[in-house]
Amino acid sequence: MGLTAATYLGDNTIPILDALVSHLVDLDVDIEVDPGAGRGSAEARANAAEVDLVWMCGSLAAVLLRDGTLQHDVVAAPVFEGESEAVYRSVFVTRRDGPASVEDALSGTIGINEADSWSGHHALRRHLGVAWFSDEMPTGSHRDSITAVSAGDCAVAGIDVTIWRHVCATEPDAVTDLRVIGRTTDWPAPPFLVRHGAGDLAQAIVGAAVPGLDRIVPAAVASYRPLVPE
């Protein structure tokens, strides 16, 4: 039986993972994308332990590795197009007639994609120095957070910048009524993890030329431990 791969990130990462798997197949690695893999942290918590190559939120990865849920190693991280390092950030999005700053939005409803998310939840809390939001609305995904802000269901949401760029490029009508009012600091980009016993998969990933990424560089779990929620 061959190896499997899955992304538990946004839909914009699906073609990137498909291209990475194709690259590995060209190197005679017996691997395929898990056809049943879903999106998000619930699917990752339920299924990632059995997947050989996992691409997931760095915060959740650090938590699951700490708790022994995953028997994997963090081996690499993506350098997204337009970046010089393996980093990303969240942008704070509101309606054009919304609050002037993210701090002004705290009196309203805060959209979060899901509780486990770094870019859609914890990065915003860390940026603002708050333990929790008094009024938050889980939307289910970054894309759904964009919809919720546009509809006026929440005052502001933190959006993974790679997803924000993707939506702006592919669905410009979805962001017509929105604007960015801030951003977090840079954080380590979501890592690639390889399950113990998966052979030379780690060496095959690093340096791979994949459409949608500038490059893939080595990474280690130590970079993601600061992302464990407080």
Side-chain angles (χ1 to χ4, degrees), residues 4 43 96 110 124 152 157 189 191 195 204:
T4 57
E43 291 83 358
R96 293 197 178 278
I110 308 298
L124 179 55
R195 190 168 61 86

Side-chain angles (χ1 to χ4, degrees), residues 101-125:
S101 70
V102 67
E103 289 81 7
D104 292 341
L106 284 177
S107 59
T109 301
I110 308 298
I112 67 169
N113 61 331
E114 53 185 358
D116 282 325
S117 173
W118 182 258
S119 56
H121 183 204
H122 298 299
L124 179 55
R125 293 196 305 102

Side-chain angles (χ1 to χ4, degrees), residues 1-209:
M1 183 176 179
L3 305 175
T4 57
T7 172
Y8 299 101
L9 300 169
D11 287 348
N12 63 309
T13 65
I14 294 174
I16 298 174
L17 183 69
D18 287 344
L20 177 57
V21 167
S22 293
H23 167 79
L24 295 171
V25 170
D26 288 343
L27 296 178
D28 293 325
V29 178
D30 185 10
I31 187 170
E32 64 179 4
V33 175
D34 180 357
R39 304 268 69 77
S41 63
E43 291 83 358
R45 286 181 176 276
N47 301 313
E50 303 303 319
V51 177
D52 299 288
L53 171 58
V54 173
W55 195 10
M56 69 189 305
C57 172
S59 176
L60 181 59
V63 169
L64 296 182
L65 289 169
R66 179 200 64 189
D67 295 346
T69 303
L70 295 181
Q71 301 301 314
H72 291 61
D73 294 313
V74 171
V75 299
V79 179
F80 289 102
E81 290 180 342
E83 303 290 346
S84 60
E85 300 177 89
V87 296
Y88 79 142
R89 65 205 64 87
S90 302
V91 293
F92 308 136
V93 175
T94 189
R95 287 178 55 86
R96 293 197 178 278
D97 58 356
S101 70
V102 67
E103 289 81 7
D104 292 341
L106 284 177
S107 59
T109 301
I110 308 298
I112 67 169
N113 61 331
E114 53 185 358
D116 282 325
S117 173
W118 182 258
S119 56
H121 183 204
H122 298 299
L124 179 55
R125 293 196 305 102
R126 184 76 63 87
H127 177 85
L128 293 169
V130 298
W132 62 83
F133 298 122
S134 58
D135 184 8
E136 64 182 33
M137 184 181 77
T139 65
S141 72
H142 284 288
R143 181 62 184 81
D144 289 337
S145 290
I146 290 172
T147 298
V149 174
S150 182
D153 295 330
C154 52
V156 71
I159 308 297
D160 178 326
V161 69
T162 70
I163 297 175
W164 176 249
R165 290 170 179 165
H166 177 74
V167 174
C168 288
T170 61
E171 302 177 71
D173 289 348
V175 300
T176 299
D177 296 329
L178 303 180
R179 60 191 173 93
V180 173
I181 55 174
R183 51 157 285 180
T184 66
T185 188
D186 287 347
W187 293 99
F192 294 101
L193 298 88
V194 169
R195 190 168 61 86
H196 296 170
D200 297 329
L201 197 53
Q203 292 88 333
I205 295 169
V206 174

